[in-house]
Amino acid sequence: MSEDKRRGEEVEDGGPGLVYMPFVVMEEFLDKLRLLNYEKEFSRVLNMKPISRHYFAIPTNPGEQFFMFTSLSAWLLRKAGKSFEQPQEYDDPNATISSILEEVRKLGHQIDFPPSKLKQGCGEHAIYVLTRLADEALKSTNFSWEKPEYPTEETEEETVIEDDAELTLGEVEKNFFQQHGDDEDEFEEEEQIMDLEGLKRLGQSKQANESTKPDDILESTTDAADWKLEVERVQPQLKVTIRTDNKDWRVHVEQMHQHKDGIESSLTETKTHLDKLHDEITRTMEKISSREKYINTQLEHLLVQFRAEQEQLSETKERYRQASGGVTERSRMLAEVSEELEQIKQDMEERGSSMTDGAPLVKIKQAIQQLKKENMQMEIRMGVVEHVLLQAKLKDKASQNKQLHSNTTANQDKFDYSTY
């Protein structure tokens, strides 16, 4: 995301690559997190899985992405030396976003987009805030970017066989058969390719063995015809190949010349077709322009008539709008009057039905009978209670009389004993 452009505004003529800019910035932000060792200090401590390189660039799960965004922001603020509490999952998102943006403004960064852009937890605005916080965290840890060190390409020296290291065909055959055995049938089936490195090693071994060769002249006892047949048989296996190095500048130059020749050949052919196409399009545009002028001249009076009719139509629509406004007001008044009339009719019907209806009188009679029935039951209960009270009083009186009689008898007996 370019800092020279205001985030949230549509940038004209930005090119098709501007759509993919959040992916590039997200990858750079992930590299900064790795420099801050977020996998150990953030993911393992808070038990969160590491984010992918396009995590905040693509909307997948808004709730999870918003929680990860607020958690990362709080961790980066703490890394930058600020005191910021770790947000919880059920905190108010508006308050959390406001707190984060306030801290970003305090760090000296300009926020020119509404806070609602961060509620999704992804997009260019969220990546912008996280990138700024990561930069501040790197500054607080005294991290500085160093100049890149480009690897030096070592040019391989061409392998050259010197004159004193030349090998004779007999020595090559001898060393080859010592390495692969004396089975000539297997030698014919398997094609071996010897490169210059192998020849050089064999030449070096020959130089090491020159000190042990005899002083006498060696004479060959091999038949010339047999030797020629053997040479023809072994010749396919004695191919010398030079391995091409993709890092060699000569290969790239050769490829550049090949591509240049291909482009030039294709350009000549394509230019011819494009010139023909340009001529055809030019002629077609001229024909269209001439036809357009002819149609305009032929339909000029119809266009004038159409403009007049259009003005008349607009005047008629204006009159209709004014008339429809009066009709709407009168319709509203009619609806209010109709509603009042319906209410009055309903009141009249209720009063008429209440005057002719005998249902209330029947209800009153039923209520009176119910009251009489309840009064009778109450009288019966009162009689029962009075009877019980009367029985209780009689029992009390009888017990009192009995007690009084017993007391009188005891006093008489006492008096009789005292006379004696």
Side-chain angles (χ1 to χ4, degrees):
M1 179 170 45
S2 177
E3 295 190 24
D4 298 335
K5 306 291 183 182
R6 290 177 63 88
R7 288 146 304 275
E9 296 182 357
E10 295 182 358
V11 181
E12 297 182 356
D13 299 334
L18 191 63
V19 181
Y20 303 98
M21 186 57 65
F23 296 90
V24 179
V25 181
M26 178 62 204
E27 291 182 1
E28 294 177 356
F29 168 66
L30 188 58
D31 293 336
K32 294 176 183 178
L33 287 181
R34 288 169 180 165
L35 291 175
L36 292 169
N37 198 15
Y38 92 104
E39 293 181 351
K40 292 183 179 179
E41 299 181 7
F42 176 75
S43 299
R44 293 183 182 177
V45 173
L46 299 179
N47 195 14
M48 291 184 178
K49 60 181 181 180
I51 61 176
S52 61
R53 61 191 183 122
H54 296 154
Y55 184 79
F56 291 109
I58 303 174
T60 55
N61 188 352
E64 179 185 349
Q65 287 178 318
F66 179 76
F67 181 65
M68 181 63 75
F69 165 73
T70 54
S71 301
L72 265 177
S73 300
W75 179 71
L76 291 173
L77 284 170
R78 290 195 297 271
K79 291 286 288 184
K82 300 291 183 179
S83 178
F84 197 87
E85 295 182 359
Q86 184 69 25
Q88 301 300 321
E89 189 174 358
Y90 299 102
D91 290 347
D92 185 12
N94 295 321
T96 306
I97 291 173
S98 300
S99 302
I100 293 172
L101 293 181
E102 184 65 25
E103 294 295 335
V104 174
R105 291 189 183 96
K106 289 180 181 179
L107 291 172
H109 299 286
Q110 184 180 3
I111 302 298
D112 50 10
F113 54 86
S116 59
K117 295 287 187 180
L118 300 177
K119 283 190 176 181
Q120 296 180 356
C122 61
E124 58 176 351
H125 303 92
I127 297 174
Y128 170 76
V129 173
L130 291 172
T131 305
R132 300 286 78 78
L133 294 177
D135 293 339
E136 294 296 332
L138 288 173
K139 289 180 183 178
S140 65
T141 55
N142 297 325
F143 177 82
S144 61
W145 298 97
E146 298 179 356
K147 293 183 179 180
E149 296 181 359
Y150 299 101
T152 57
E153 297 182 357
E154 297 180 358
T155 57
E156 296 181 359
E157 297 181 356
E158 296 182 358
T159 306
V160 181
I161 301 177
E162 299 178 356
D163 294 335
D164 57 351
E166 291 181 356
L167 301 177
T168 61
L169 184 60
E171 291 174 351
V172 173
E173 290 179 0
K174 181 179 179 181
N175 290 311
F176 186 81
F177 285 121
Q178 286 178 357
Q179 293 178 4
H180 298 279
D182 296 331
D183 191 355
E184 295 183 359
D185 295 334
E186 182 179 358
F187 175 75
E188 291 177 357
E189 292 177 0
E190 297 181 359
E191 181 180 0
Q192 301 292 333
I193 299 175
M194 183 175 294
D195 57 0
L196 294 178
E197 293 292 336
L199 292 175
K200 186 176 181 180
R201 288 194 295 271
L202 291 175
Q204 292 174 356
S205 63
K206 177 179 177 294
Q207 291 178 356
N209 294 328
E210 281 182 354
S211 60
T212 59
K213 66 182 180 180
D215 297 333
D216 297 337
I217 299 174
L218 296 177
E219 295 181 0
S220 176
T221 59
T222 307
D223 189 9
D226 295 338
W227 179 261
K228 188 175 181 180
L229 291 174
E230 185 67 20
V231 169
E232 291 178 355
R233 185 181 68 82
V234 179
Q235 187 176 3
Q237 281 77 27
L238 298 179
K239 294 180 180 179
V240 178
T241 59
I242 300 175
R243 296 176 182 177
T244 59
D245 188 5
N246 293 328
K247 296 182 180 180
D248 189 5
W249 63 271
R250 296 180 183 84
V251 178
H252 296 293
V253 171
E254 184 67 24
Q255 290 178 356
M256 289 170 63
H257 287 301
Q258 291 177 1
H259 293 318
K260 181 181 178 182
D261 296 337
I263 290 171
E264 289 178 352
S265 61
S266 301
L267 181 61
T268 54
E269 184 179 357
T270 307
K271 188 175 181 181
T272 306
H273 293 294
L274 290 175
D275 291 337
K276 292 181 180 178
L277 184 61
H278 179 265
D279 296 336
E280 292 178 359
I281 291 173
T282 305
R283 289 194 297 270
T284 305
M285 292 295 292
E286 291 177 355
K287 290 180 180 179
I288 292 172
S289 178
S290 61
R291 294 289 178 84
E292 185 179 358
K293 292 179 180 178
Y294 175 75
I295 291 171
N296 289 333
T297 55
Q298 293 293 324
L299 300 178
E300 184 66 28
H301 65 285
L302 295 177
L303 290 174
V304 174
Q305 184 179 358
F306 173 74
R307 292 190 187 97
E309 294 291 338
Q310 194 171 11
E311 291 177 358
Q312 187 177 359
L313 176 62
S314 61
E315 293 176 359
T316 306
K317 285 182 177 180
E318 181 65 23
R319 290 197 300 271
Y320 172 75
R321 186 182 62 80
Q322 294 176 359
S324 62
V327 171
T328 304
E329 182 66 23
R330 288 173 176 79
S331 299
R332 186 183 60 80
M333 294 174 62
L334 177 61
E336 292 177 357
V337 172
S338 300
E339 186 177 356
E340 291 179 0
L341 180 60
E342 290 293 331
Q343 186 66 30
I344 292 170
K345 285 182 179 180
Q346 186 177 359
D347 294 341
M348 290 176 64
E349 289 178 359
E350 289 180 358
R351 290 182 181 181
S353 61
S354 62
M355 291 174 64
T356 58
D357 192 9
L361 185 59
V362 174
K363 291 180 180 179
I364 292 171
K365 289 181 180 181
Q366 291 177 356
I368 292 171
Q369 291 178 0
Q370 185 69 22
L371 289 172
K372 287 181 179 180
K373 186 176 179 181
E374 290 178 358
N375 287 332
M376 187 179 294
Q377 291 178 356
M378 290 297 294
E379 288 177 357
I380 293 171
R381 290 181 180 178
M382 290 171 63
V384 172
V385 171
E386 288 177 356
H387 178 71
V388 171
L389 290 173
L390 182 60
Q391 290 293 329
K393 286 180 180 180
L394 291 175
K395 286 182 180 180
D396 290 340
K397 190 174 182 180
S399 62
Q400 290 177 1
N401 292 332
K402 186 176 180 182
Q403 186 177 1
L404 182 60
H405 181 70
S406 61
N407 290 333
T408 306
T409 307
N411 291 330
Q412 288 179 358
D413 293 336
K414 186 179 180 181
F415 179 77
D416 291 337
Y417 289 126
S418 62
T419 52
Y420 290 104

